[in-house]
Amino acid sequence: MDKQAVTSYIEANKQRFLDELFDLLRLPSVSADPKFAGDVRKTAEAVRDRLLEAGCDKAELVETKGHPIVYGEKIIDPAKPTVLIYGHYDVQPADPYELWDSPPFEPVIKDDKIYARGACDDKGQMYMHVKALQTMVDTGSLPCNVKFMIEGEEEVGSDNLETFVRENQDKLTADVILISDTSMISNDHPSICVGLRGLSYVEVEVTGPNRDLHSGVYGGAVANPINVLSKMIASLIDDKGRITIPGFYDKVEELSPEERAAINSAPFDLQAYKDDLGIEEVAGEEGYTTLERVGIRPSLDVNGIWGGYTGEGAKTVLPSKAHAKISMRLVPNQKSSEITELFTKHFLAIAPKTVKVKVTPHHGGEPTVTKTDSLAYQAASAAFEEAWGKTPIPTRDGGSIPIVALFKEVLKTDVVLLGFGLDSDAIHSPNEHYGVFNYFKGIETITLFYKHFADKKG
Ligand code: BES
Ligand code: MN
Ligand code: MN
């Protein structure tokens, strides 16, 4: 590959690459909300069209019970290695809209960052792969076959992609699965994600009296479900930051002192982390560092809690019901379905007789760890070294991409998590953004990955 040709091609096409990403970001492809189903489909069609323009021989929408999957490929020579790109074109809801400094679906560049819902997660990162392909095709330097599988339901659990993967194993045969949907330590310290947490997600409902009551007439005499739910939730984590569900830690993989030292040797700036979040102190399980708390330890969080009166002014009410959505992030050897079961058993057991409790499980996912001794990882590492001038540090991220564990189980193919986001990019939050530098550097790094992977394979 002519590296000079590649970098000048990217340089010459920067504005176009940005404009095209902006077009995608203007489409509100919120998978969770049926109101946006039409825009989700339009986004899938746009991704298909961009894949064809970038040089794919074929690209199509695959219909599912939910939002379509975009599949595309360019097979240059069956004897050459094949790279399967996975990404997602759906985004999280943009709510609360009023906290955005500019409208979430009207992308703008400010301080060299692209602001829009999906800028980093995952349209910006996914689209780098489309532009990397085009760069390699147009500069005559594509050394591998490429397959694209871009889904529209990652943010809602990838249920239909699971079916597609199970039913299309031959079509998806590849030598490596490449995913850009994770983060790096910082632009000064590039890193490659080698671990993702799993997820168990439940919704709970606590019912007290059979109707809302006057909080004066009944207050103090009848259990208030919101009071009860708050107490139950508070009891789920003890003073040492440990989750109190019996059996919760039984299978948690304990790392060796060497492995822990390796994780903690990453150049993590705790003060900058706190400053970015506007907090005085971090919190979590005693005996573990922040990097360990998100990378190798499980966690439990309330994602939403509601009930009673939350409108303007004061209404005196002792509500009949209280609700919460609770997520648990899981680490290797914990199983999503088992943890959901342990949670349910425990939550029912700690409920006082004054209320009825219902637990409804939502989507979950298994944790994953990827290998650092695979050819694919070595190629990724070499690509980073060449593009960034530094050896990337392997790190474990706290987020989840449930389908990755399924890829490993069903397709039995090495996965490389080549993410270029930063924790400070505010994914899932108002004012999500993605560095313009990361977008272009990512495209370059991806082209170099192909080169090194083809060299090592061939
Ligand atoms: N890209 C994220 C996951 C992620 C973010 C991994 C940052 C590593 C670093 C993905 O789109 C996501 O948000 N996943 C969900 C899970 C899904 C089942 C809703 C998550 O982690 O909450
Ligand atoms: Mn994502
Ligand atoms: Mn996400």
Side-chain angles (χ1 to χ4, degrees), residues 88 92 121 154-155 181 427-428:
H88 62 95
Q92 285 274 321
D121 184 14
E154 195 278 340
E155 301 290 8
D181 194 22
I427 62 172
H428 293 206

Side-chain angles (χ1 to χ4, degrees), residues 83 85-86 122 125-126 128-129 132 176-184 190-194 196 370 376-385 388 392 397 401 415-421 434 438 441-450:
V83 178
I85 309 292
Y86 163 78
D122 184 41
Q125 295 213 64
M126 173 274 287
M128 295 183 312
H129 288 274
V176 61
I177 300 173
L178 194 55
I179 304 173
S180 295
D181 194 22
T182 52
S183 47
M184 302 190 311
S191 57
I192 297 178
C193 175
V194 292
L196 289 165
T370 60
Y377 184 89
Q378 309 290 324
S381 186
F384 259 104
E385 251 163 61
W388 299 68
D397 280 5
I401 310 178
V415 172
V416 175
L417 297 163
L418 202 66
F420 301 94
Y434 188 43
N438 297 59
K441 203 65 173 171
I443 295 172
E444 183 192 339
T445 311
I446 290 165
T447 63
L448 290 166
F449 172 84
Y450 282 79

Side-chain angles (χ1 to χ4, degrees), residues 6 31 76 107 112 146 153 160 172-173 203 218 231 233 237 241 271 279-280 284 288 328 376 399 402 413 451:
V6 164
S31 50
I76 52 170
D112 295 319
V146 195
E153 300 189 313
N160 293 304
L172 300 172
T173 305
E203 187 165 330
Y218 291 95
K231 202 165 163 188
I233 287 172
I237 299 179
Q271 194 54 50
I279 54 172
E280 283 290 319
Y288 294 93
M328 287 158 279
T413 308
K451 180 187 88 167

Side-chain angles (χ1 to χ4, degrees), residues 8 54 65 78 112 146 155 190 207 235 282 335 343 360 438:
S8 16
K65 282 189 208 129
D112 295 319
V146 195
E155 301 290 8
T207 308
S235 79
V282 291
K335 243 189 123 230
F343 175 93
T360 311
N438 297 59

